[in-house]
Amino acid sequence: MKNSEKQGIVMMPVIDAHIHFDQYKKEEQNLILDELEKYQVKALLSVSTDLNSAQKNLALARMDSRVKPAFGFYPEQPLPSEEELQKLLNFIDTHHQDMIAVGEIGLPYYLKLEAVTMQRDAYIELLEELIKVAVKYNKPVALHAIYEDAPIVIDLLEKYSVQKAHFHWFKGDKTTLQHTENNGYFISFTPDVVYEEEIQMIVQNYPLSQLMVETDGPWPFEGPFQDQMTHPKMMHEAVRVLAKLKKIDLKEVYQQLHWNTESFYSIAKS
């Protein structure tokens, strides 16, 4: 595996395991795509929030094969109507060979905090329906499930014997983290690992063999990334911090993270 050094900084191939690429402005998308090779970003796992988002991600993937689309329904929003859900399911049925995963799916933690009343059971039913789609097509699931929502999601994954589950930007207690690890599930960390102690503690206590790196762009970050457009190049600083936290050779960390994501999502080597 090739590596490059710029101004003494080691930089090796990475894959963005979770990004909302369809949500960037067109000029931002073009900039990022133009710079992927420069920053050794081999692929973007672009998750969808609804049918319109899935359609955009499919179009982006057809334009540039480095964009790997996942189709799903983001839980931090009002539930879809029956008609909207059926259209999404029909789209997935039609394009399941184009999708790399079912995602982003999960439960609405932040919406729950804001809402006076919420159809909690309905969100769980929706998640279950989308997990069944993943099982039907033998696809991984890209999950939004944090804190007390994570155990509920784990129960559903176990119910359907889902092996390939990826909890993006995971946050939760030690018991849930241990359960996630024991089940062989993966978690990913964002650039906030550079400055957030909570995330640092999580990745320190999770095996490197079950970790991935992501941006969740265009979500903005603080610390050294304050007021910057979220760019996949930020993953390099996140990887360097991870290596320091785990006290593992940086090149080994790069190689393991890349292999984890490539194999988990069945990304063809280029």
Side-chain angles (χ1 to χ4, degrees):
M1 185 177 290
K2 295 180 180 180
N3 70 283
S4 64
E5 294 190 13
K6 295 185 177 182
Q7 298 180 344
I9 298 176
V10 175
M11 188 165 60
M12 296 176 67
V14 289
I15 296 172
D16 192 336
H18 191 101
I19 185 172
H20 296 266
F21 197 54
D22 63 297
Q23 293 184 11
Y24 284 85
K25 297 176 182 177
K26 184 63 177 177
E27 57 269 27
E28 294 172 335
Q29 291 172 348
N30 291 337
L31 172 65
I32 289 171
L33 290 174
D34 286 345
E35 293 186 334
L36 289 185
E37 185 175 357
K38 174 182 177 181
Y39 292 106
Q40 299 204 48
V41 180
K42 297 300 181 182
L44 304 174
L45 275 293
S46 191
V47 296
S48 302
T49 55
D50 55 19
L51 175 59
N52 183 54
S53 174
Q55 292 169 333
K56 289 180 180 179
N57 275 318
L58 178 59
L60 287 165
R62 287 176 170 172
M63 180 185 70
D64 192 312
S65 63
R66 294 172 298 181
V67 178
K68 311 296 183 182
F71 305 143
F73 189 87
Y74 181 59
E76 302 283 1
Q77 60 180 324
L79 287 161
S81 66
E82 289 187 15
E83 181 181 0
E84 289 170 335
L85 176 58
Q86 192 55 55
K87 286 182 179 180
L88 174 61
L89 295 176
N90 290 342
F91 177 86
I92 293 176
D93 285 339
T94 301
H95 300 289
H96 65 91
Q97 292 182 326
D98 297 300
M99 73 177 178
I100 203 159
V102 173
E104 178 174 5
I105 61 176
L107 294 177
Y109 178 80
Y110 298 110
L111 186 64
K112 176 183 62 180
L113 297 180
E114 298 173 0
V116 177
T117 59
M118 193 180 69
Q119 298 171 279
R120 186 70 171 164
D121 290 344
Y123 280 95
I124 294 174
E125 290 173 8
L126 172 61
L127 172 59
E128 186 167 8
E129 185 71 26
L130 292 168
I131 286 175
K132 287 191 286 187
V133 170
V135 172
K136 176 182 178 181
Y137 293 117
N138 192 29
K139 297 290 185 178
V141 287
L143 296 160
H144 171 89
I146 60 174
Y147 299 119
E148 62 264 28
D149 288 340
I152 300 172
V153 174
I154 291 173
D155 286 344
L156 283 176
L157 296 173
E158 292 176 340
K159 177 179 178 179
Y160 291 98
S161 301
V162 175
Q163 301 297 314
K164 281 194 167 185
H166 167 202
F167 289 76
H168 104 93
W169 204 342
F170 179 87
K171 305 173 189 72
D173 59 47
K174 290 182 180 179
T175 300
T176 304
L177 191 65
Q178 188 63 59
H179 195 170
T180 305
E181 177 185 340
N182 292 344
N183 281 8
Y185 302 148
F186 284 68
I187 67 172
S188 56
F189 58 98
T190 69
D192 79 336
V193 73
V194 174
Y195 57 87
E196 283 285 356
E197 185 177 348
E198 177 188 8
I199 304 302
Q200 293 174 354
M201 290 296 294
I202 288 171
V203 298
Q204 273 185 302
N205 291 287
Y206 211 73
L208 178 60
S209 60
Q210 291 169 240
L211 283 174
M212 303 184 204
V213 61
E214 60 157 302
T215 61
D216 198 30
W219 184 267
F221 292 95
E222 300 175 2
F225 312 112
Q226 184 73 41
D227 299 326
Q228 295 181 34
M229 178 193 76
T230 297
H231 189 297
K233 67 182 179 181
M234 294 176 177
M235 292 186 292
H236 290 292
E237 184 59 29
V239 174
R240 285 190 281 272
V241 168
L242 178 69
K244 290 179 181 178
L245 290 170
K246 286 190 165 294
K247 299 178 181 178
I248 300 175
D249 179 74
L250 177 58
K251 293 182 180 179
E252 180 182 341
V253 172
Y254 264 117
Q255 290 172 333
Q256 185 67 55
L257 292 172
H258 187 273
W259 188 88
N260 291 349
T261 315
E262 187 177 67
S263 58
F264 181 92
Y265 282 110
S266 301
I267 299 173
K269 295 181 180 179
S270 57

